[in-house]
């Protein structure tokens, strides 16, 4: 009886999970089907989910015929910005987390929790001071105005530090006996053990920069430097008046492709890292 009850529970949970997955995926599916329909078809009421007429004209328009915005260049800009910021976050957060997790120095815990406390502050609080600082340095409307501010996030330090706390002290003691320096222990032993949190931090950082809209719109005015999200916002403004919804949906789907691919390939790393980050000594 107990075994049958557990099987029924698993079946019910699987069905609920499948239904929730379909609810989450339905807007993406609708966006994709809308991008394949002529704009005139999207004016029909009630709206059709499955397209009656399929065309790639919306994708041709969004990629090659947009008004004053080069979507292909903006796509590559976003890839460049997100990749560079991700690399910078990993390079800075890893040694910082190692210092807070494995090294002893005065005020270590106080400094760490002060850094973590910044997570409760809204990002909008930092917009004005960071903007003024970049203006003083002459970095506005440059690639550095997008790349430099997100490097060194508190969340990355917290995530990696919590994972490093799970590494046994005996492993570090054995490395010291063999003459391993702290830097060598970090690079050759700790980092290979931290694949799940490192991959998860890289994914979350990449997607955060990829989807960022407000900050690039504030600091970038040159259309050649625009990332994808502000470029699509300009396009939506251009096409909104003529109700070319299919073209807008095509642009939104182009922006969603990297997000879908990354999450489908590496979602298990995020789950493993988040489940491990709450474990500490």
């Amino acid at each position: 009886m107990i075994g049958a009850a557990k099987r029924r529970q698993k079946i019910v949970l699987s069905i609920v999970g499948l239904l929730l997955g379909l609810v989450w995926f339905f807007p993406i599916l609708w966006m994709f089907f809308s991008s394949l329909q002529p704009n005139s078809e999207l004016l029909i009421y009630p709206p059709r989910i499955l397209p009656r007429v399929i065309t790639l004209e919306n994708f041709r328009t969004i990629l090659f015929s947009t008004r004053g915005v080069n979507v292909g260049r903006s796509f590559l800009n976003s890839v460049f910005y997100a990749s560079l910021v991700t690399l910078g976050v990993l390079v800075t957060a890893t040694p910082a987390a190692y210092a807070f997790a494995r090294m002893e120095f005065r005020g270590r815990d106080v400094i760490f929790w002060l850094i973590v406390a910044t997570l409760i502050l809204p990002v909008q609080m930092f917009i004005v001071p960071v903007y003024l600082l970049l203006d003083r340095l002459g970095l506005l409307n440059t690639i550095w105005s997008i790349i430099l501010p997100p490097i060194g996030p508190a969340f990355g330090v917290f995530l990696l530090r919590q994972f490093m706390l799970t590494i046994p002290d005996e492993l570090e003691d054995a490395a010291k006996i063999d003459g391993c320096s702290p830097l060598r222990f970090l690079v050759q032993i700790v980092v290979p053990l931290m694949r799940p949190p490192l991959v998860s931090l890289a994914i979350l950082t990449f997607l955060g920069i990829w989807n960022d809209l407000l900050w690039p719109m504030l600091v970038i005015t040159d259309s050649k430097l625009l990332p994808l999200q502000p470029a699509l916002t300009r396009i939506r403004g251009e096409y909104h008046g003529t109700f070319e919804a299919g073209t807008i949906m095509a642009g939104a789907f182009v922006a969603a492709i990297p997000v879908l691919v990354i999450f489908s390939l590496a979602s298990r790393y995020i789950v493993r890292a988040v489940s491990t980050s709450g474990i500490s000594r």
Side-chain angles (χ1 to χ4, degrees):
M1 294 294 294
I2 298 178
K6 288 185 176 180
R7 285 195 295 270
R8 287 195 296 269
Q9 184 179 11
K10 288 183 179 179
I11 292 174
V12 171
L13 291 176
S14 299
I15 294 174
V16 172
L18 178 62
L19 292 176
L20 291 176
L22 291 175
V23 170
W24 175 85
F25 193 70
F26 178 75
I28 300 175
L29 197 63
W30 194 348
M31 176 177 62
F32 175 66
F33 286 147
S34 297
S35 67
L36 295 177
Q37 300 183 57
N39 291 299
S40 58
E41 290 289 316
L42 297 176
L43 293 172
I44 298 175
Y45 185 83
R48 297 187 181 95
I49 298 178
L50 296 177
R52 184 179 61 177
V53 179
I54 296 179
T55 178
L56 297 178
E57 181 65 22
N58 294 320
F59 288 96
R60 188 195 69 81
T61 301
I62 203 69
L63 292 175
F64 304 109
S65 302
T66 49
R67 303 165 188 176
V69 179
N70 191 326
V71 175
R73 174 182 291 172
S74 297
F75 186 95
L76 295 178
N77 287 343
S78 287
V79 172
F80 175 74
Y81 297 149
S83 300
L84 214 57
V85 170
T86 301
L87 179 62
V89 167
L90 294 179
V91 170
T92 57
T94 302
Y98 178 79
F100 286 120
R102 315 297 302 187
M103 301 179 69
E104 296 289 342
F105 55 90
R106 182 177 298 179
R108 182 192 65 175
D109 294 338
V110 174
I111 296 174
F112 171 73
W113 289 112
L114 285 176
I115 293 175
V116 173
T118 61
L119 293 173
I120 67 175
L121 301 176
V123 178
Q124 291 77 9
M125 286 185 58
F126 303 99
I127 289 180
V128 173
V130 174
Y131 183 93
L132 294 176
L133 177 61
L134 292 175
D135 185 33
R136 291 282 185 90
L137 296 175
L139 297 179
L140 289 180
N141 201 30
T142 67
I143 62 174
W144 303 111
S145 61
I146 295 180
I147 294 172
L148 292 180
I151 292 179
F155 174 75
V157 175
F158 173 78
L159 179 67
L160 299 183
R161 183 251 188 188
Q162 295 303 101
F163 185 88
M164 290 181 186
L165 290 177
T166 64
I167 298 176
D169 291 335
E170 293 76 11
L171 186 61
E172 185 174 5
D173 294 337
K176 289 180 179 179
I177 293 174
D178 291 337
C180 186
S181 65
L183 179 60
R184 185 178 177 186
F185 177 73
L186 170 63
V187 174
Q188 296 187 355
I189 299 177
V190 175
V191 171
L193 293 175
M194 294 178 56
R195 182 177 299 177
L198 286 174
V199 172
S200 301
L201 179 59
I203 293 170
L204 296 176
T205 303
F206 186 94
L207 295 181
I209 301 302
W210 180 269
N211 292 320
D212 193 14
L213 173 64
L214 176 60
W215 183 250
M217 290 186 67
L218 292 175
V219 298
I220 297 294
T221 57
D222 189 351
S223 60
K224 295 181 180 179
L225 299 177
L226 272 182
L228 185 59
Q229 299 300 337
L232 292 178
T233 300
R234 290 189 180 183
I235 293 172
R236 284 193 291 269
E238 292 288 343
Y239 286 99
H240 180 72
T242 56
F243 199 79
E244 298 184 28
T247 305
I248 297 174
M249 288 295 187
F253 186 75
V254 169
I257 290 176
V259 179
L260 297 175
V261 171
I262 290 174
F263 266 115
S264 63
L265 293 179
S267 58
R268 67 182 184 274
Y269 288 104
I270 298 178
V271 175
R272 288 173 58 187
V274 172
S275 62
T276 307
S277 64
I279 302 174
S280 61
R281 294 182 298 184

